[in-house]
Amino acid sequence: MLPPQLLDALLPRSLAASLCILVGLLSILPMIIWAHVVRSEHETREQLELSLLDRASTTAQVFSSRAPTEPRTATKSGPLTGLPDVATAGACKPTSSSASCATSNLPVALPDQVAPSLISPREASFAKGLPETSPWSATGLPIAVALYLAVALASLIVLLGVLRQVKSFNNAAQDVVMGRLGGNQLVQRTTPRELASAARLLDHVMSDLGYTVGQLRGAADDYAHAMRTPLATVSAALHTVRRSVSTSEPRAQRAVEVIETSVGRLSYLVNAAQHHGQSVAALIAAPRQRLDFADMVQAAIAGASDEATESGISIRPRLQRPIGVLANAEALEMAIWEVLLSAVDSSPEGSDIVVTLSSDGTTASLVVEDRGQDRQDEALLFDQEIGPGKGGAAARWPGLSSVRRTIESSGGCVAACRNMAGGLSVSLALPVDR
């Protein structure tokens, strides 16, 4: 047995190519058999012809050795043709003065009469019935070619059927996995018997994925409700304490304010944790589609152009087309839109934002460069917000943790760094759908 590594190196990675090679090797067998039959028939014919020639030569030699001693009888039509001069020299020649030569009643053994006597009747009948040309070239060859073409056509039909079943299973698996379908959807479809175990395995994986999504959502809601109850109790008690604290005790009032701030921060963290759990569950369960990354970026630029125009900022796109990715359309468009709005908020009036989309055949990279002069730490750009921003609203820059979750859930990665203009360059990388 060959090692698996050697087989993987010898055989092509494509199943279609392997099946074509197999059919080709099997189709060579009839050609080998046909060549062997034709060669065997040719050799048999040559051997028979050589045997007949040898016996004819032997017969001629026997006739030549017996010719001087045995009398010959000439026919009325003239002397024997094909006989040697020695045989005719010893024969009786009539003259005008003598009587005619005595005739003999002995039969004359001619070559064409002696040769059949030395060949068996079966060989003689076979030699007479042997055609001059090979039956394969006359009638058998077209029949053999037709049979060979029929076998090749049947093999091609079987090959196409196998490839169609494999392609059908591939399409069904993609529909189930990308659509996040559960409930044994793949097993219920028509799949080859050899791939039934793989279908059941994928259905188990999708069932486990659905169960995990449900647990994430339930845990996020349960923990949020469990935390909100004591926080509401603390807030109510704190309200009572504030009314009972005298204004002449500044330290007590300061303690009450610190408690209120901490309760507000805890309430924000509880809401953020619930939103984080729900968003992660939604991203896992969200169906995937084959999308054109350039179209998604163009749509996000159109959505952010109004706010950029109001701030006097221009967006300059440099998009490579087409670039296909696998992601959820709504989540990806929202992620790109949030990155653009963050760049708009960080850019000064009258500046521009450069949006570059490129691909190296494996990874699609979207880079958003602003001209802002802020000194925000780029390492905290994609971290979870730990507190409310100005006016009680969450800050947008930093505040791209949802973008990070969206990109990473699609198999990509995010990064941020300082550019030559002093602003930030945000990079979103996704694997290319081939």
Coordinates of all heavy atoms in Angstrom, one line a residue, residues 275-343:
H275 N -26.4 44.2 25.1 CA -26.3 44.5 23.7 C -25.2 43.7 23.0 O -25.3 43.2 21.9 CB -26.0 46.0 23.5 CG -25.8 46.3 22.1 ND1 -26.8 46.4 21.1 CD2 -24.7 46.7 21.4 CE1 -26.3 46.7 20.0 NE2 -25.0 47.0 20.1
H276 N -24.0 43.5 23.7 CA -22.9 42.7 23.2 C -23.3 41.3 23.0 O -23.1 40.7 21.9 CB -21.7 42.8 24.1 CG -20.5 42.0 23.7 ND1 -20.3 40.7 24.0 CD2 -19.5 42.3 22.8 CE1 -19.2 40.3 23.5 NE2 -18.7 41.2 22.7
G277 N -24.0 40.7 24.0 CA -24.4 39.3 23.8 C -25.4 39.1 22.7 O -25.3 38.1 21.9
Q278 N -26.4 40.0 22.6 CA -27.4 39.9 21.6 C -26.7 40.1 20.2 O -27.1 39.4 19.2 CB -28.5 41.0 21.8 CG -29.3 40.7 23.0 CD -30.3 39.5 22.8 OE1 -30.4 39.0 21.7 NE2 -30.8 39.0 23.9
S279 N -25.8 41.1 20.1 CA -25.2 41.3 18.8 C -24.3 40.1 18.3 O -24.3 39.8 17.2 CB -24.4 42.6 18.8 OG -23.3 42.5 19.8
V280 N -23.6 39.5 19.3 CA -22.8 38.4 18.9 C -23.7 37.2 18.5 O -23.4 36.5 17.5 CB -21.9 37.9 20.1 CG1 -21.3 36.6 19.9 CG2 -20.8 39.0 20.4
A281 N -24.8 37.0 19.2 CA -25.7 35.9 18.8 C -26.3 36.2 17.4 O -26.4 35.3 16.6 CB -26.8 35.8 19.8
A282 N -26.6 37.5 17.2 CA -27.2 37.8 15.9 C -26.2 37.7 14.8 O -26.5 37.2 13.7 CB -27.7 39.3 15.9
L283 N -24.9 38.0 15.0 CA -23.9 37.8 14.0 C -23.7 36.4 13.7 O -23.4 36.0 12.5 CB -22.6 38.5 14.4 CG -22.6 40.0 14.4 CD1 -21.3 40.6 15.0 CD2 -22.8 40.6 13.0
I284 N -23.7 35.5 14.7 CA -23.5 34.1 14.5 C -24.6 33.5 13.7 O -24.4 32.7 12.8 CB -23.3 33.4 15.8 CG1 -22.0 33.8 16.5 CG2 -23.2 31.8 15.6 CD1 -21.8 33.2 17.8
A285 N -25.8 33.9 14.0 CA -27.0 33.3 13.3 C -27.3 34.0 12.0 O -28.2 33.5 11.3 CB -28.2 33.4 14.3
A286 N -26.7 35.1 11.7 CA -27.0 35.9 10.5 C -26.6 35.1 9.3 O -25.5 34.5 9.2 CB -26.3 37.2 10.5
P287 N -27.5 35.0 8.3 CA -27.1 34.3 7.0 C -26.0 35.0 6.3 O -25.9 36.2 6.4 CB -28.4 34.3 6.2 CG -29.5 34.6 7.2 CD -28.9 35.4 8.2
R288 N -25.2 34.2 5.6 CA -24.1 34.7 4.8 C -24.6 34.7 3.3 O -25.3 33.9 2.8 CB -22.9 33.9 4.9 CG -21.9 34.2 6.1 CD -22.5 34.7 7.3 NE -21.5 34.8 8.4 CZ -21.8 34.9 9.6 NH1 -23.1 35.0 10.0 NH2 -20.9 35.0 10.6
Q289 N -24.1 35.8 2.6 CA -24.3 35.9 1.2 C -23.0 36.2 0.5 O -22.1 36.7 1.1 CB -25.3 37.0 0.8 CG -26.7 36.8 1.4 CD -26.9 37.5 2.8 OE1 -26.1 38.4 3.0 NE2 -27.8 37.1 3.6
R290 N -23.0 35.9 -0.8 CA -21.9 36.3 -1.7 C -22.1 37.7 -2.1 O -23.1 38.0 -2.8 CB -21.8 35.4 -2.9 CG -21.2 34.0 -2.5 CD -21.1 33.1 -3.8 NE -20.4 31.9 -3.5 CZ -21.0 30.8 -3.1 NH1 -22.3 30.8 -3.0 NH2 -20.3 29.7 -2.9
L291 N -21.2 38.6 -1.6 CA -21.4 40.0 -1.8 C -20.2 40.6 -2.6 O -19.1 40.1 -2.6 CB -21.5 40.7 -0.5 CG -22.6 40.2 0.5 CD1 -22.5 40.9 1.8 CD2 -24.0 40.4 -0.1
D292 N -20.5 41.7 -3.3 CA -19.5 42.4 -4.0 C -19.0 43.5 -3.0 O -19.8 44.4 -2.7 CB -20.0 43.1 -5.3 CG -18.9 43.7 -6.1 OD1 -17.7 43.8 -5.6 OD2 -19.1 44.0 -7.3
F293 N -17.8 43.4 -2.5 CA -17.3 44.3 -1.5 C -17.3 45.7 -2.0 O -17.6 46.7 -1.3 CB -15.9 43.9 -1.1 CG -15.5 44.3 0.3 CD1 -14.2 44.0 0.8 CD2 -16.4 45.1 1.1 CE1 -13.9 44.4 2.1 CE2 -16.0 45.5 2.3 CZ -14.8 45.2 2.8
A294 N -17.0 45.9 -3.3 CA -17.0 47.3 -3.8 C -18.4 47.9 -3.8 O -18.6 49.1 -3.5 CB -16.5 47.3 -5.2
D295 N -19.5 47.1 -4.1 CA -20.8 47.6 -4.0 C -21.2 48.0 -2.6 O -21.9 49.0 -2.4 CB -21.8 46.6 -4.6 CG -21.6 46.4 -6.1 OD1 -21.0 47.3 -6.7 OD2 -22.1 45.4 -6.6
M296 N -20.8 47.2 -1.6 CA -21.1 47.5 -0.2 C -20.4 48.8 0.2 O -21.0 49.6 0.9 CB -20.7 46.4 0.7 CG -21.3 45.0 0.3 SD -23.1 45.0 0.3 CE -23.3 45.3 2.1
V297 N -19.2 49.0 -0.2 CA -18.5 50.2 0.2 C -19.1 51.4 -0.5 O -19.3 52.5 0.1 CB -17.0 50.1 -0.2 CG1 -16.2 51.4 0.0 CG2 -16.3 49.0 0.6
Q298 N -19.5 51.3 -1.8 CA -20.1 52.4 -2.5 C -21.5 52.8 -1.8 O -21.8 54.0 -1.7 CB -20.4 52.0 -3.9 CG -20.8 53.1 -4.8 CD -19.7 54.1 -5.0 OE1 -18.5 53.7 -5.2 NE2 -20.0 55.4 -5.0
A299 N -22.2 51.8 -1.4 CA -23.5 52.1 -0.7 C -23.2 52.8 0.7 O -24.0 53.7 1.0 CB -24.3 50.8 -0.5
A300 N -22.2 52.3 1.4 CA -21.9 53.0 2.7 C -21.4 54.4 2.4 O -21.8 55.4 3.2 CB -20.8 52.2 3.4
I301 N -20.7 54.7 1.4 CA -20.2 56.0 1.1 C -21.4 56.9 0.7 O -21.5 58.1 1.2 CB -19.2 56.0 -0.1 CG1 -17.9 55.3 0.4 CG2 -18.9 57.4 -0.6 CD1 -16.9 55.2 -0.7
A302 N -22.4 56.4 0.0 CA -23.6 57.1 -0.3 C -24.4 57.5 0.9 O -24.9 58.6 1.1 CB -24.4 56.4 -1.3
G303 N -24.4 56.6 1.9 CA -25.1 56.8 3.2 C -24.4 57.9 4.0 O -25.1 58.6 4.8
A304 N -23.1 57.9 4.0 CA -22.3 58.9 4.8 C -22.0 60.2 4.1 O -21.4 61.1 4.7 CB -21.0 58.3 5.3
S305 N -22.4 60.3 2.8 CA -22.0 61.5 2.1 C -22.7 62.8 2.6 O -22.2 63.9 2.5 CB -22.3 61.3 0.6 OG -23.7 61.0 0.4
D306 N -24.0 62.6 3.0 CA -24.7 63.8 3.5 C -24.1 64.4 4.7 O -23.9 65.6 4.8 CB -26.2 63.4 3.8 CG -26.9 63.0 2.6 OD1 -26.5 63.3 1.5 OD2 -27.9 62.2 2.7
E307 N -23.7 63.6 5.7 CA -23.1 64.1 6.9 C -21.7 64.7 6.6 O -21.3 65.7 7.1 CB -23.0 63.0 8.0 CG -22.5 63.5 9.3 CD -22.6 62.5 10.4 OE1 -23.4 61.5 10.2 OE2 -22.0 62.7 11.4
A308 N -21.0 64.0 5.6 CA -19.6 64.6 5.2 C -19.8 65.9 4.5 O -19.0 66.8 4.7 CB -18.9 63.6 4.3
T309 N -20.8 66.1 3.7 CA -21.0 67.3 3.0 C -21.4 68.5 4.0 O -20.9 69.6 3.8 CB -22.1 67.2 1.9 OG1 -21.8 66.1 1.1 CG2 -22.3 68.5 1.2
E310 N -22.2 68.2 5.0 CA -22.5 69.2 6.0 C -21.3 69.6 6.7 O -21.2 70.8 7.2 CB -23.5 68.6 6.9 CG -24.9 68.4 6.3 CD -25.9 67.8 7.3 OE1 -25.5 67.5 8.5 OE2 -27.0 67.5 6.9
S311 N -20.3 68.7 6.9 CA -19.1 69.1 7.7 C -18.0 69.6 6.7 O -16.9 69.9 7.2 CB -18.5 67.9 8.4 OG -19.5 67.4 9.3
G312 N -18.3 69.8 5.4 CA -17.3 70.3 4.5 C -16.2 69.3 4.2 O -15.0 69.7 3.9
I313 N -16.5 68.0 4.3 CA -15.5 67.0 4.1 C -15.8 66.2 2.8 O -17.0 65.9 2.6 CB -15.4 66.0 5.3 CG1 -15.0 66.8 6.6 CG2 -14.4 64.9 5.1 CD1 -15.1 66.0 7.8
S314 N -14.9 65.9 2.0 CA -15.1 65.1 0.8 C -14.5 63.7 1.0 O -13.5 63.5 1.6 CB -14.4 65.8 -0.4 OG -13.0 65.9 -0.2
I315 N -15.2 62.8 0.4 CA -14.8 61.4 0.4 C -14.3 61.0 -1.0 O -15.1 61.1 -1.9 CB -15.9 60.5 0.9 CG1 -16.4 60.9 2.3 CG2 -15.5 59.0 0.9 CD1 -17.6 60.1 2.8
R316 N -13.1 60.5 -1.1 CA -12.5 60.1 -2.3 C -12.3 58.6 -2.4 O -11.5 58.0 -1.7 CB -11.1 60.7 -2.5 CG -11.2 62.3 -2.6 CD -9.8 62.8 -3.0 NE -8.8 62.5 -2.0 CZ -7.5 62.6 -2.2 NH1 -7.1 63.1 -3.4 NH2 -6.6 62.3 -1.3
P317 N -13.2 57.9 -3.1 CA -13.1 56.4 -3.2 C -12.1 56.0 -4.2 O -12.0 56.5 -5.3 CB -14.5 56.0 -3.5 CG -15.1 57.2 -4.3 CD -14.4 58.4 -3.8
R318 N -11.4 54.9 -3.9 CA -10.5 54.2 -4.8 C -10.8 52.7 -4.7 O -10.2 52.0 -3.9 CB -9.0 54.5 -4.5 CG -8.6 56.0 -4.6 CD -7.2 56.2 -4.1 NE -6.8 57.6 -4.1 CZ -5.7 58.1 -3.6 NH1 -4.8 57.2 -3.1 NH2 -5.4 59.4 -3.7
L319 N -11.7 52.3 -5.5 CA -12.3 50.9 -5.4 C -11.8 50.0 -6.5 O -11.9 50.4 -7.7 CB -13.8 51.0 -5.3 CG -14.4 52.0 -4.3 CD1 -15.9 51.9 -4.3 CD2 -13.9 51.7 -2.9
Q320 N -11.4 48.9 -6.1 CA -11.1 47.8 -7.1 C -12.3 46.9 -7.3 O -12.9 46.5 -6.3 CB -9.8 47.0 -6.7 CG -9.5 45.9 -7.6 CD -8.3 45.1 -7.1 OE1 -7.6 45.5 -6.1 NE2 -8.1 43.9 -7.6
R321 N -12.6 46.7 -8.5 CA -13.8 45.8 -8.8 C -13.4 44.7 -9.7 O -12.5 44.8 -10.6 CB -14.9 46.7 -9.5 CG -15.5 47.8 -8.6 CD -16.5 48.6 -9.4 NE -17.0 49.7 -8.7 CZ -18.2 49.6 -8.0 NH1 -18.8 48.4 -8.0 NH2 -18.6 50.6 -7.3
P322 N -14.1 43.5 -9.6 CA -15.0 43.2 -8.5 C -14.2 42.4 -7.5 O -13.2 41.7 -7.8 CB -16.0 42.3 -9.2 CG -15.3 41.6 -10.3 CD -14.2 42.6 -10.7
I323 N -14.7 42.4 -6.2 CA -14.1 41.7 -5.1 C -15.3 41.0 -4.4 O -16.1 41.7 -3.8 CB -13.3 42.6 -4.2 CG1 -12.2 43.2 -5.0 CG2 -12.8 41.7 -3.0 CD1 -11.4 44.2 -4.1
G324 N -15.3 39.7 -4.4 CA -16.4 39.0 -3.7 C -16.0 38.5 -2.3 O -14.9 38.1 -2.1
V325 N -16.9 38.6 -1.4 CA -16.7 38.2 0.0 C -18.0 37.5 0.5 O -19.1 37.6 -0.1 CB -16.4 39.4 0.9 CG1 -15.1 40.0 0.6 CG2 -17.5 40.4 0.9
L326 N -17.8 36.7 1.5 CA -18.9 36.0 2.2 C -19.2 36.7 3.5 O -18.4 36.7 4.4 CB -18.6 34.6 2.4 CG -18.6 33.6 1.2 CD1 -18.2 32.2 1.6 CD2 -19.9 33.6 0.5
A327 N -20.4 37.4 3.6 CA -20.7 38.1 4.9 C -22.2 38.4 4.9 O -22.9 38.1 3.9 CB -19.9 39.4 5.0
N328 N -22.7 38.9 6.0 CA -24.1 39.3 6.1 C -24.1 40.8 5.5 O -23.4 41.6 5.9 CB -24.6 39.3 7.5 CG -26.0 39.7 7.6 OD1 -26.3 40.8 8.0 ND2 -26.9 38.8 7.3
A329 N -25.1 41.0 4.6 CA -25.1 42.3 3.9 C -25.4 43.4 4.9 O -24.7 44.5 4.8 CB -26.2 42.2 2.8
E330 N -26.4 43.3 5.7 CA -26.8 44.4 6.6 C -25.6 44.7 7.6 O -25.3 45.9 7.9 CB -28.1 44.1 7.3 CG -29.3 43.9 6.4 CD -30.5 43.6 7.2 OE1 -30.4 43.4 8.4 OE2 -31.6 43.4 6.5
A331 N -25.1 43.6 8.2 CA -24.0 43.9 9.2 C -22.8 44.5 8.6 O -22.2 45.4 9.1 CB -23.7 42.5 9.9
L332 N -22.4 44.0 7.4 CA -21.2 44.5 6.7 C -21.4 46.0 6.3 O -20.5 46.8 6.5 CB -20.8 43.7 5.5 CG -19.6 44.1 4.7 CD1 -18.4 44.1 5.7 CD2 -19.3 43.2 3.6
E333 N -22.6 46.3 5.8 CA -22.8 47.7 5.4 C -22.8 48.6 6.6 O -22.3 49.8 6.6 CB -24.1 47.8 4.6 CG -24.4 49.2 4.1 CD -25.7 49.2 3.3 OE1 -26.3 48.1 3.1 OE2 -26.1 50.3 2.8
M334 N -23.4 48.2 7.7 CA -23.4 49.0 8.9 C -22.0 49.2 9.5 O -21.6 50.3 9.9 CB -24.3 48.3 10.0 CG -24.4 49.1 11.3 SD -25.1 50.7 11.1 CE -26.8 50.3 10.6
A335 N -21.1 48.1 9.4 CA -19.8 48.3 9.9 C -19.0 49.3 9.1 O -18.3 50.2 9.6 CB -19.1 46.9 9.8
I336 N -19.1 49.2 7.7 CA -18.4 50.2 6.9 C -18.9 51.6 7.1 O -18.2 52.6 7.2 CB -18.6 49.8 5.4 CG1 -18.0 48.4 5.1 CG2 -17.9 50.8 4.5 CD1 -18.3 47.9 3.8
W337 N -20.2 51.7 7.3 CA -20.9 53.0 7.5 C -20.4 53.6 8.9 O -20.1 54.8 8.9 CB -22.4 52.9 7.5 CG -23.1 54.2 7.7 CD1 -23.3 55.1 6.8 CD2 -23.8 54.6 8.8 NE1 -24.1 56.2 7.3 CE2 -24.4 55.8 8.5 CE3 -24.1 54.0 10.1 CZ2 -25.2 56.5 9.5 CZ3 -24.8 54.7 11.0 CH2 -25.4 56.0 10.7
E338 N -20.2 52.8 9.9 CA -19.7 53.3 11.2 C -18.3 53.8 11.1 O -17.9 54.8 11.7 CB -19.9 52.2 12.3 CG -21.3 52.0 12.7 CD -21.4 50.9 13.8 OE1 -20.3 50.5 14.2 OE2 -22.5 50.6 14.2
V339 N -17.5 53.1 10.3 CA -16.1 53.5 10.2 C -16.0 54.8 9.4 O -15.2 55.7 9.8 CB -15.3 52.4 9.4 CG1 -13.9 52.9 9.0 CG2 -15.2 51.1 10.2
L340 N -16.8 55.0 8.4 CA -16.8 56.3 7.7 C -17.3 57.4 8.5 O -16.7 58.5 8.5 CB -17.7 56.1 6.4 CG -17.2 55.2 5.3 CD1 -18.2 55.1 4.2 CD2 -15.9 55.7 4.8
L341 N -18.4 57.2 9.3 CA -18.9 58.3 10.2 C -17.8 58.6 11.3 O -17.7 59.8 11.7 CB -20.2 57.9 10.8 CG -21.4 57.8 9.9 CD1 -22.6 57.5 10.7 CD2 -21.6 59.1 9.1
S342 N -17.1 57.6 11.8 CA -16.1 57.9 12.7 C -15.0 58.7 12.1 O -14.4 59.7 12.8 CB -15.5 56.6 13.3 OG -16.5 55.9 14.0
A343 N -14.6 58.5 10.9 CA -13.6 59.3 10.2 C -14.1 60.7 9.9 O -13.3 61.6 10.0 CB -13.2 58.6 8.9

